[in-house]
């Protein structure tokens, strides 16, 4: 496929090369390996494109690329948009040729992948057995970057999405936290007691705490709650994986603070869960996709299975909103499910 330039033909392959080189830290060798082609071939096509456009996309020192030029930054950004549009063209064709066949890629955190998504994905695969699923795990920022860059279809996380203007973000469900301790811990009585004594931030501030890494699974709400009450939390261990947090609680390293959905009464019956929703502001998990994404029927289906209030009509309205403020108005008065 090609685009007509002013003198020759600008190839989509050339746009792919400059995009990939820019996203491989200007390492042409690494780019060539990832694209299963030759380094000289990439260098030649980049030079041909620069000659065609009459500007340098990359500054050089000898044979090495050193930086992206100002003109190159604008060109690479437009190249990314063009390449994503070509992918959407393929998806449109696939939808009309066979609406039940395709692939769906999701980027999410461990908590979502481990505790929320299994039942959703199980039901989805039963309905769409010929859709291949690809799961990517990472930090919220990594997840949002994957979606914003068009590398995955959906990003699912609680934090990190607001920094990306190119994402259509929709609220899925509301959740809060529980404190987990071994049955022998003094706080365990609060998990069984029906009396007036309640868990407080003061009690928690006196304990060594085991919880999520900052920027993961609503961690910011936890820190804000302690700060607002004038307490300094004694966080002795952090992890991105809830199962790791529970393991170290079992070892006696400290009191765990986890997403309530991550406590399993059967698997975690050696631990006592204490509701902490009265201590922390609730968090909201969002599902996001890149603006302009062509949503196939099975993609709408997946979203609605994950968040039943996100009907195809509402998702289409959110995708068509002209800005974030307009999009947020769609959900302003909508009660969210509690996890």
């Amino acid at each position: 496929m090609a685009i007509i330039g002013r003198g020759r033909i600008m190839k989509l392959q050339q746009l792919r090369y400059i995009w990939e080189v820019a996203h491989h830290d200007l390492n042409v060798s690494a780019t060539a390996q990832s694209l299963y082609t030759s380094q000289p071939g990439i260098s030649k096509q980049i030079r041909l494109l620069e000659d065609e456009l009459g500007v340098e996309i990359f500054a050089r020192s000898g044979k090495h690329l050193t930086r992206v030029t100002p003109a190159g930054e604008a060109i690479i950004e437009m190249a990314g948009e063009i390449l994503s549009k070509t992918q959407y063209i393929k998806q449109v064709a696939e939808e009309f040729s066979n609406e039940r066949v395709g692939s769906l890629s999701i980027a999410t955190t461990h908590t979502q992948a481990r505790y929320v998504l299994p039942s959703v994905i199980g039901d989805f695969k039963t309905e769409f057995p010929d859709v291949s699923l690809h799961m990517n795990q990472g930090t919220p920022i990594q997840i949002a970057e994957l979606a914003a860059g068009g590398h995955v279809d959906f990003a699912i996380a609680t934090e990190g999405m607001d920094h990306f203007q190119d994402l259509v973000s929709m609220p899925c469900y509301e959740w809060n936290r529980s404190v987990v301790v071994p049955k022998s811990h003094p706080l365990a009585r609060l998990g069984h007691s029906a009396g007036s004594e309640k868990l407080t931030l003061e009690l928690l501030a006196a304990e060594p705490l085991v919880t999520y890494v900052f920027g993961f699974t609503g961690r910011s709400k936890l820190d804000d709650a302690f700060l607002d009450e004038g307490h300094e939390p004694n966080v002795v261990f952090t992890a991105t994986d809830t199962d790791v947090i529970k393991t170290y609680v079992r070892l006696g390293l400290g009191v765990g603070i986890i997403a309530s959905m991550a406590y399993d009464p059967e698997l975690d019956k050696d631990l006592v869960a204490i509701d902490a929703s009265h201590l922390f502001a609730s968090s909201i998990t969002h599902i996001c996709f890149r603006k302009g994404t062509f949503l196939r029927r099975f993609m709408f289906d997946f979203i609605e299975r994950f968040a039943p209030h996100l009907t195809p009509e509402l998702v289409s309205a959110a995708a068509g909103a002209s800005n974030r403020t307009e999009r947020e108005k769609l959900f302003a008065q909508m009660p969210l499910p509690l996890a």
Side-chain angles (χ1 to χ4, degrees):
M1 191 177 294
I3 301 170
I4 302 300
R6 60 181 180 179
R8 290 185 291 272
I9 294 178
M10 186 188 309
K11 299 177 181 178
L12 281 175
Q13 182 190 55
Q14 294 172 331
L15 301 183
R16 169 67 65 189
Y17 285 167
I18 64 171
W19 171 264
E20 293 293 343
V21 167
H23 289 80
H24 280 83
D25 298 323
L26 307 187
N27 188 324
V28 180
S29 178
T31 303
Q33 289 180 358
S34 70
L35 296 177
Y36 302 101
T37 189
S38 69
Q39 181 176 343
I42 290 179
S43 297
K44 177 182 177 180
Q45 289 301 321
I46 291 176
R47 278 294 194 190
L48 287 174
L49 179 60
E50 289 177 323
D51 290 345
E52 168 68 12
L53 297 175
V55 295
E56 281 195 336
I57 297 171
F58 302 104
R60 295 166 174 81
S61 176
K63 293 184 178 181
H64 299 287
L65 306 183
T66 57
R67 62 181 175 84
V68 180
T69 66
E73 290 179 359
I75 292 167
I76 289 168
E77 182 180 353
M78 286 186 284
E81 295 174 1
I82 291 169
L83 292 169
S84 68
K85 291 295 183 184
T86 63
Q87 183 61 35
Y88 299 154
I89 290 171
K90 293 178 183 178
Q91 291 176 336
V92 170
E94 289 171 350
E95 181 68 11
F96 282 92
S97 62
N98 194 335
E99 64 182 21
R100 302 183 68 82
V101 176
S103 65
L104 179 62
S105 55
I106 302 162
T108 191
T109 62
H110 169 268
T111 300
Q112 303 295 330
R114 169 70 176 80
Y115 296 101
V116 183
L117 285 171
S119 61
V120 176
I121 287 176
D123 292 342
F124 178 84
K125 284 298 291 180
T126 299
E127 178 66 23
F128 296 96
D130 295 322
V131 174
S132 60
L133 282 164
H134 309 278
M135 184 81 75
N136 301 265
Q137 286 184 220
T139 68
I141 294 297
Q142 290 170 339
I143 290 163
E145 286 176 342
L146 286 172
H151 303 294
V152 298
D153 297 308
F154 296 142
I156 300 173
T158 299
E159 301 199 31
M161 305 297 188
D162 292 341
H163 306 293
F164 294 84
Q165 297 297 320
D166 288 338
L167 291 179
V168 175
S169 181
M170 300 173 294
C172 298
Y173 64 87
E174 195 172 350
W175 60 270
N176 216 304
R177 296 145 192 82
S178 290
V179 166
V180 290
V181 295
K183 290 183 176 180
S184 60
H185 194 280
L187 290 180
R189 71 187 188 281
L190 301 180
H192 301 294
S193 174
S196 59
E197 187 178 8
K198 277 192 173 184
L199 183 67
T200 65
L201 288 174
E202 185 177 5
L203 286 172
L204 286 179
E207 299 284 346
L209 300 179
V210 182
T211 191
Y212 300 106
V213 172
F214 189 81
F216 255 86
T217 318
R219 168 65 191 274
S220 59
K221 296 289 180 70
L222 184 151
D223 291 329
D224 290 344
F226 280 104
L227 181 64
D228 290 345
E229 291 291 323
H231 298 297
E232 181 72 26
N234 178 25
V235 178
V236 298
F237 183 89
T238 61
T240 60
D241 186 323
T242 309
D243 292 332
V244 171
I245 292 172
K246 289 186 286 189
T247 294
Y248 283 90
V249 169
R250 290 183 173 100
L251 291 174
L253 197 64
V255 170
I257 304 178
I258 64 173
S260 295
M261 70 189 103
Y263 176 80
D264 188 313
E266 287 299 317
L267 297 177
D268 301 321
K269 57 187 175 184
D270 59 327
L271 298 176
V272 175
I274 309 164
D275 178 45
S277 59
H278 60 290
L279 301 180
F280 306 107
S282 60
S283 294
I284 296 174
T285 292
H286 291 76
I287 188 167
C288 308
F289 56 85
R290 183 175 176 170
K291 287 180 182 177
T293 297
F294 175 74
L295 296 173
R296 299 188 62 188
R297 176 194 161 189
F298 61 75
M299 298 168 78
F300 280 113
D301 184 277
F302 179 88
I303 293 173
E304 193 168 12
R305 287 176 190 274
F306 184 66
H309 61 284
L310 296 179
T311 62
E313 294 76 18
L314 184 56
V315 172
S316 296
S322 59
N323 54 57
R324 179 179 295 178
T325 300
E326 183 179 320
R327 189 178 307 117
E328 289 176 347
K329 286 181 180 178
L330 296 171
F331 307 102
Q333 305 300 321
M334 181 176 292
L336 297 178
L338 298 175

